[in-house]
Amino acid sequence: KMPDFNQLSTPQLQQIKVDLFDRYNEIKSRGIALDITRGKPCPEQLDLSIEMLYIINSRNYLTADAVDCRNYGGLDGIPETKELFAQYLEVTPEEIIIGGNSSLNMMHDAFMRAMVKGITEDSPPWGKLPQVKFLCPSPGYDRHFFICDHLDIEMITVNMNDTGPDMDQVEALVADDEGVKGIWCVPRYSNPTGVVYSDEVVERLAAMKTKTNDFRIFWDNAYAVHHLDDKPARLKNILATCKQAGNPERVFIFGSTSKITFAGSGVDMMAGSAENMAMTKKQMAFQTIGPDKLNQLRHVTFFKNVAGIEDHMKKHADILKPKFEAVQNALDKDLAGKNIAEWSRPRGGYFVSIDTMEGCAAAVVQMAAEAGVKLTPAGSTFPYLRDPFDRNIRIAPSFPPLEEIETAIQLVAICIQLVSIEKIMTM
Ligand code: PMP
């Protein structure tokens, strides 16, 4: 069993430090340049969808209803793609819009419309209010926070628990402050913690009393089918739950196939009540004549149905699982029992989240960078890039080859130990 570092004497720690520095310098001397900063699919994953590059061709460009996908039209997507992804997000075709290639783009646009025109016909534009605030369960997705920051929306950090955001905090904040207009959620395999929202959290989000009546849950279901386990985690249907609670308009759902087919060349989707979708389409009509229907046709032709998506995701899991296991093995081997770090064991999604001792994350990231391993900047998983405890590190193991992941995580584990020893010795 590994010794708890906090229980060791200074000479013992000194000796461990010397050995760790030897390992650190050995890896550094290899002159590596590894990058585990972003959740990008690796080339083998992209190859799984390569057929998509030739299934749309001079003989195949019409929808089932003989709409010519080469031409303008169809603001909210072609019927068969709407049908497929409505099932995927567990809504009806009237409750979904299939757009372009990036759900982040759709979320950003939803914010912009709210800022300039308001969420409903009769609610004020957020931009006209003295201060709009958003709840940000953290650690969370940095690009969500960047949208808020960019639009001067005040971010309120809410703790992430093992079953989703701390709902006591959320309920208290929304009950009391008219300026709190929404919350960011990545409900199944959250970025970066891998958390899956429990039924109770979904129910409380749907039913809670909000002071303002244009409150919206931004339900970013980016990793809905991105399971690593054979037994996928369940997630309660948020739109159905909102309807049952008498708040059918409360949620905007988002998703994309960026990590199913091609990142950056997938299809994005937004879903919600028929009323919300009607309002959204009305505003979108000023923005575009219609989306890339050829790409939408390409996606339905390739998958055919939801079972087709699920089969395809098993192939992704086969590629990703060994990489996630390599991360766990390296962390277990080097850190378990030492009482200096905790980390997630995600059952899906794209990330592993590590919590070091307080005040260590930035130093670990810096030290890893000096030996050639680039990590997401410390603080990125919190609003304003400020981790209040300087503790969280996000690992994205999907892109690099397995051997590189192994080296990178070994180095991260060495840096965590060195920085922790330094901290313990000065405590
Ligand atoms: N949401 C989350 C939670 C993500 O992790 C990512 C990708 N890193 C995105 C959205 C971006 O999705 P898209 O490619 O559809 O814009």
Side-chain angles (χ1 to χ4, degrees), residues 52 55-56 293-303:
M52 293 227 305
I55 50 184
I56 298 302
K293 293 191 293 301
L294 288 169
N295 199 30
Q296 297 195 5
L297 185 63
R298 184 178 285 130
H299 277 76
V300 263
T301 307
F302 183 58
F303 288 122

Side-chain angles (χ1 to χ4, degrees), residues 7 21 48 65 70 77 96 100 149 193 212 243 247 285 289 313 330 406 415 422:
Q7 308 296 330
F21 255 118
L48 297 174
D65 294 340
R70 299 172 305 173
I96 196 165
D149 207 16
T193 57
T212 185
K243 287 177 187 169
N247 297 312
I289 306 172
M313 292 314 289
E406 283 165 351
C415 295
E422 212 55 51

Side-chain angles (χ1 to χ4, degrees), residues 38-39 101-105 107 141 143-144 186 191 220 222-223 255-256 258-259 264 268 351:
R38 306 285 340 167
N101 71 320
S102 156
S103 61
L104 189 73
N105 188 167
M107 293 180 249
Y141 178 39
R143 294 187 195 275
H144 286 164
V186 184
N191 176 351
D220 180 2
Y223 302 104
S256 79
S258 286
K259 282 150 190 180
D268 63 25
F351 305 97

Side-chain angles (χ1 to χ4, degrees), residues 46-350:
L46 301 173
D47 286 345
L48 297 174
S49 306
I50 203 71
E51 224 185 289
M52 293 227 305
L53 296 185
Y54 42 85
I55 50 184
I56 298 302
N57 52 45
S58 57
R59 294 170 312 281
N60 185 22
Y61 50 77
L62 300 178
T63 67
D65 294 340
V67 170
D68 189 336
C69 290
R70 299 172 305 173
N71 218 331
Y72 272 146
L75 185 64
D76 56 354
I78 61 174
E80 47 262 69
T81 315
K82 288 179 67 180
E83 183 72 48
L84 171 64
F85 289 106
Q87 279 181 37
Y88 171 86
L89 289 179
E90 300 175 340
V91 299
T92 67
E94 296 70 49
E95 293 169 334
I96 196 165
I97 295 168
I98 314 289
N101 71 320
S102 156
S103 61
L104 189 73
N105 188 167
M106 265 185 160
M107 293 180 249
H108 172 269
D109 282 356
F111 268 85
M112 282 301 213
R113 289 189 295 268
M115 291 297 280
V116 177
K117 287 288 181 180
I119 283 280
T120 63
E121 303 282 4
D122 45 32
S123 63
W126 290 354
K128 292 257 165 72
L129 303 174
Q131 184 64 63
V132 176
K133 302 174 195 171
F134 243 71
L135 304 186
C136 300
S138 303
Y141 178 39
D142 50 0
R143 294 187 195 275
H144 286 164
F145 303 157
F146 295 155
I147 290 177
C148 287
D149 207 16
H150 177 57
L151 298 175
D152 293 321
I153 293 172
E154 184 182 325
M155 291 177 272
I156 303 176
T157 302
V158 168
N159 295 334
M160 248 332 235
N161 295 334
D162 292 344
T163 54
D166 181 329
M167 285 308 299
D168 291 341
Q169 268 182 302
V170 171
E171 283 165 347
L173 286 158
V174 300
D176 199 72
D177 187 342
E178 210 175 356
V180 175
K181 295 294 184 191
I183 182 170
W184 282 114
C185 295
V186 184
R188 178 152 51 184
Y189 312 123
S190 94
N191 176 351
T193 57
V195 160
V196 180
Y197 285 24
S198 69
D199 289 1
E200 190 203 333
V201 166
V202 175
E203 285 158 15
R204 287 172 74 176
L205 283 166
M208 65 193 182
K209 290 233 170 352
T210 61
K211 179 111 184 202
T212 185
N213 47 31
D214 58 348
F215 184 91
R216 288 294 180 273
I217 299 167
F218 277 65
W219 193 255
D220 180 2
N221 210 349
Y223 302 104
V225 290
H226 302 52
H227 317 296
L228 292 166
D229 236 59
D230 299 332
K231 255 189 89 224
R234 278 188 52 257
L235 174 67
K236 195 166 168 129
N237 183 324
I238 184 73
L239 182 58
T241 312
C242 284
K243 287 177 187 169
Q244 274 155 20
N247 297 312
E249 326 298 350
R250 176 166 291 179
V251 65
F252 289 157
I253 302 168
F254 299 91
S256 79
T257 67
S258 286
K259 282 150 190 180
I260 299 177
T261 57
F262 298 138
S265 304
V267 291
D268 63 25
M269 57 205 80
M270 176 176 183
S273 72
E275 195 173 315
N276 274 332
M277 292 306 97
M279 171 84 179
T280 304
K281 278 185 268 187
K282 207 167 142 188
Q283 294 179 322
M284 272 175 60
F286 294 102
Q287 182 178 2
T288 179
I289 306 172
D292 178 349
K293 293 191 293 301
L294 288 169
N295 199 30
Q296 297 195 5
L297 185 63
R298 184 178 285 130
H299 277 76
V300 263
T301 307
F302 183 58
F303 288 122
K304 298 184 179 64
N305 49 41
V306 170
I309 298 179
E310 284 164 357
D311 285 345
H312 185 75
M313 292 314 289
K314 293 204 179 96
K315 298 178 196 158
H316 278 282
D318 288 341
I319 295 169
L320 289 175
K321 245 188 279 185
K323 297 186 179 189
F324 277 80
E325 276 163 13
V327 173
Q328 293 301 331
N329 291 340
L331 294 175
D332 278 337
K333 184 157 166 283
D334 259 345
L335 299 178
K338 293 180 180 169
N339 198 16
I340 52 174
E342 290 171 12
W343 58 92
S344 62
R345 295 172 187 276
R347 293 175 59 198
Y350 263 64

